[in-house]
Structure formats: C-alpha cells, structure tokens
Amino acid sequence: MIRHLVPSAYRPVLADRTFRRLALGLGVSGLGDGMSFVAVAWLAIELAPEATQGLWVGGAVAAYTLPGVLGALLLGRRLRRVPARRLLTADSVVRAVFIGAVPLAWSAGLLTPPLYVVLLAVSSLLHAWGGAGKYTLLAELLPEEQRLPANTFVGSLTFAATIAGPAVAGLLVTYASSALVLGLDALSYVFLAVLVARSRLPERADASPVDPVDQAAARGGLALLRSRPELLGLLTLTWFFNFLYGPVEVALPLHVTGDLHAPGTLLGLYWMLFGVGAVLGSLAVGALRQLPLWPVTVCIVIAWGLSLLPFGLGAPTGATVACFTLGGLVYGPFVALSVTLMQAKSPPRHLAAMLAANNAVLLTASPLGTALGGPLTAALGPRTTIGGSGLATVVLGVAACVLLAARRGDRRHDPSGIEKRRSPSRG
C-alpha cells in the first residue's frame, strides 16, 4: 500500500539500500544545519557584550559560511582529485569536531566570542567540498536515469530542514540552550560520517574530479559573459540580490532580541515560515513557465525588497511575520528562474562554462553580505538594517527594470536588424 503512494520515478531510487542509508544521514545532518541556522546567531548574542553584539553576530554567521567559499576557491589543487566518499567523510568529521567543541567550551566556561568565531570558521572550511562530494557520490552510486529523482529527493530533504530545523531550534534556545543545539548539529554529522563509513559506497581513483568550482571553466565563462551584456547583467543582478540578502541573516535575530525583546521561538517562527513560503514558491515555479522570465525575475527582486520594508517602518510583529512568509514565497523560485534564464540565453556549446563562471562569482555574494551585516547592524540598528536592505533591493529591481526597458527600446529601434534575427524566447 505504501509503495503505491511513492511516485514511480522514486521507487527504483528508494529501492537501493545504500541510497536510503545515505539519504537518511544527509537528512539528519540537514536538520542539524537547519537548527544551527537559528542557534549560531543566538549564541553569539548570548556571548557578546551588548555594545558589540551586531559585530559578533555578523562575524559568527559569516564564519559559518565564508570559509567554505575560501576553501572551495583555494584548495582546488589539493582536493579536486580526492574521491567523493573521502570528501564527504572529511567534511562531516571536521564539522562534528569543531562544532562539537563549541558546547564543550561553553560548558567549561571557556567559550569567548573570538574562540566561537574561530571554531565556526574551521568547521566550515571543507563544507563546499563536502557538498560537491555528496552530489558526485550520488552520481557514482546510481545509474544516469535515476540521478534526477535522487538529486530531487535529497534536495527536498534540504527544503524540509529549512522548515523543521528553525522551529525545533527556536524551542531549544528558549527552553534549553543554544549551545546544546550546536551540539546536536555536531552529533548529526557524527551520524552521517558513521553511515558513510559503514555503507558500501564507491571510491574510485579514476572517477571524475570533484570540485565545487571548476576554475578553468569559470575563467573561460567570464570571458564569454563579458561579451554578452544581457547575461552579464543577469549575473550582476543576482550577485547584488544575494549580497543584499546577507545582512538580513545578521539583523533579524538582533531585531527579535533587541527591538522586540522576544524569545528564540519567534526567531524560529520567522525562519520556519520563510522556509514554508520558499518551498511553496519553488513548487509553483512550474506554473511560471509561460511567463516572460526576465520580467518575472526582476519582479521577484522588487517583491522581496518590499517584504522587508515593514521591518524598517516599525510594523507590528504579526505583520512582519506575514511579510517575511510572503518574502519566502517570492524568494524561493529566484534561483531556479535565474538559472533557467541563463540556460535560455546562453549558446548551448558555452552553457557549461557560463554556469561555472556564474557559480564561482555568486559563491561570494551572500557570505560577503553577511559579513557586512555585522557593522551595519552595529551602526544603524537591526530594524533599520533590515528595512535598508529591503529599500536597496527595491532600488536594485527598479534599476534593472529601467535598464531592461531601455535595452528593449534600443532593440525596437535598432536599424541593424539584430532584433529581427533574434529567435523568439520567453524572456
């Protein structure tokens, strides 16, 4: 009976015992990360002096992500030939050891803001490589026709973690301890490492290289993007959109504690409902196929910015919770739509190189925005930082609208006939 409830595409994938074990480990570690999404900032608030809370929260949140970017860009020569299984195991062990050191140092009374940031930074150093190893391992484990449902299933576990993790963490940081939440995250990576070690997974020395960023392809892709203003414009828009999102991750927990004097359950509620909205928005992206991709993408940028403005205007908590949920609804489809737009506008023979360049550039956007969020929140306050991020995002979207309209106006009046030769597209 249960078997008939599973869509047919997923049945062969879930019939593979090794995949089920691996998916279980990834799901548990994803839940741990979803809980840490709330706990990392909350513990920084508890540790830092009130006058410098914004700086330390920004440092902690950035330390949880930014070193992974540096590891992806700087460790290519040493790690790109390491088998996927070893990369996933190494990342899991490093995460478990250094995140696990946080509650140990806290319980011993030794945890200070600088030590906390250092432990988080080291824990994330291999995380991009672990992610690359995870998807490479799935590709090696399953035949080609089963890879799409396998990737989709694992991706759905990540979406589920963005909903359940913050909700659980909000309760734990309020009624137990934020350090305990990080300890649970560390245990989730122990669980993943043990499952990977005990599973019969491929480990082939002749396998395709694993690399979060194909730097050779990225360099060629950047040259191609510079020669195509529309695609370069899309990359610029996406980079600034992600960059302006970064300060929100820092300012929101400080808004909950400083402006609202509310418990961690409210922060968990914000992120849980954002995750619900993002999942629903992502699922609805199929319904947007018949809409022009460029206008819809730009409208998402403006709508996300508008959803943040009530924070800066001092709206009631219920209103900002509702707006943040709607913000997740419009934010969710952005990645899929922007990638689809690049796929539609790129020459097929250059698509892989352009996507590599796109990924390499975008890898830095949100972590840098998060790092900037600390000083901004310290200087302006949480409410103003969130509202200012929203206003800047609206300005970004309006500027993109103006440039897009001007570009299309130039095409209509272009005497060279380029517009006539242009093949029809949805953008």
Side-chain angles (χ1 to χ4, degrees):
M1 180 67 179
I2 296 177
R3 183 176 183 275
H4 293 294
L5 297 177
V6 178
S8 58
Y10 293 99
R11 291 173 193 167
V13 175
L14 294 175
D16 189 303
R17 185 170 180 267
T18 302
F19 172 79
R20 291 200 308 270
R21 290 169 64 91
L22 182 60
L24 175 61
L26 294 172
V28 171
S29 67
L31 180 63
D33 281 345
M35 292 192 295
S36 288
F37 195 70
V38 170
V40 164
W42 201 264
L43 183 55
I45 292 172
E46 294 175 347
L47 292 173
E50 187 174 351
T52 57
Q53 279 183 341
L55 294 174
W56 285 114
V57 171
V61 175
Y64 198 62
T65 56
L66 188 56
V69 176
L70 298 177
L73 297 174
L74 300 178
L75 299 178
R77 287 188 178 182
R78 292 181 177 272
L79 297 181
R80 68 186 307 266
R81 295 285 179 182
V82 175
R85 177 178 181 171
R86 292 185 185 177
L87 284 177
L88 182 56
T89 303
D91 174 50
S92 300
V93 171
V94 169
R95 297 284 274 184
V97 169
F98 287 95
I99 294 178
V102 171
L104 293 178
W106 176 82
S107 63
L110 301 175
L111 190 63
T112 62
L115 176 60
Y116 180 47
V117 169
V118 169
L119 290 174
L120 291 177
V122 178
S123 77
S124 67
L125 189 61
L126 298 181
H127 204 42
W129 289 96
K134 171 180 67 177
Y135 285 105
T136 303
L137 194 57
L138 292 176
E140 295 175 354
L141 178 64
L142 299 168
E144 184 174 356
E145 65 273 11
Q146 294 180 12
R147 291 173 187 170
L148 178 60
N151 291 336
T152 304
F153 184 82
V154 170
S156 69
L157 295 177
T158 302
F159 279 130
T162 65
I163 298 172
V168 174
L171 293 172
L172 289 176
V173 300
T174 301
Y175 298 109
S177 163
S178 49
L180 171 65
V181 176
L182 292 176
L184 293 176
D185 188 16
L187 288 176
S188 75
Y189 277 98
V190 172
F191 182 71
L192 175 59
V194 170
L195 280 186
V196 172
R198 296 184 62 182
S199 299
R200 293 183 178 181
L201 297 171
E203 186 174 321
R204 303 199 311 264
D206 60 340
S208 299
V210 179
D211 201 338
V213 179
D214 188 339
Q215 297 187 37
R219 286 191 292 270
L222 284 173
L224 292 167
L225 285 171
R226 285 195 295 267
S227 67
R228 290 168 170 80
E230 183 176 11
L231 294 177
L232 186 60
L234 174 63
L235 177 58
T236 303
L237 173 69
T238 307
W239 193 93
F240 278 102
F241 182 58
N242 292 341
F243 175 77
L244 291 172
Y245 166 81
V248 176
E249 292 190 2
V250 178
L252 186 60
L254 289 167
H255 171 64
V256 171
T257 59
D259 298 332
L260 303 178
H261 305 288
T265 48
L266 179 59
L267 180 61
L269 180 66
Y270 271 116
W271 285 118
M272 181 191 74
L273 293 178
F274 176 88
V276 171
V279 170
L280 294 176
S282 298
L283 293 175
V285 74
L288 303 177
R289 290 178 182 174
Q290 301 306 314
L291 296 178
L293 292 176
W294 252 121
V296 172
T297 301
V298 172
C299 285
I300 285 177
V301 174
I302 295 174
W304 166 248
L306 291 174
S307 75
L308 299 179
L309 292 182
F311 286 90
L313 298 174
T317 301
T320 58
V321 168
C323 288
F324 207 60
T325 305
L326 292 175
L329 187 69
V330 299
Y331 193 97
F334 181 83
V335 173
L337 285 171
S338 60
V339 171
T340 302
L341 184 54
M342 178 159 284
Q343 290 170 334
K345 301 296 182 181
S346 300
R349 66 185 182 279
H350 297 317
L351 178 60
M354 287 184 167
L355 287 176
N358 186 72
N359 293 339
V361 173
L362 294 182
L363 201 62
T364 63
S366 184
L368 288 177
T370 301
L372 179 63
L376 281 179
T377 306
L380 304 176
R383 183 179 283 123
T384 303
T385 298
I386 298 174
S389 173
L391 181 60
T393 304
V394 171
V395 171
L396 174 67
V398 171
C401 279
V402 172
L403 293 174
L404 184 63
R407 184 175 181 275
R408 291 188 171 182
D410 290 342
R411 281 184 170 183
R412 283 195 295 269
H413 299 93
D414 182 54
S416 65
I418 293 177
E419 179 68 19
K420 293 180 182 179
R421 295 195 300 270
R422 180 172 172 261
S423 59
S425 74
R426 293 169 291 173

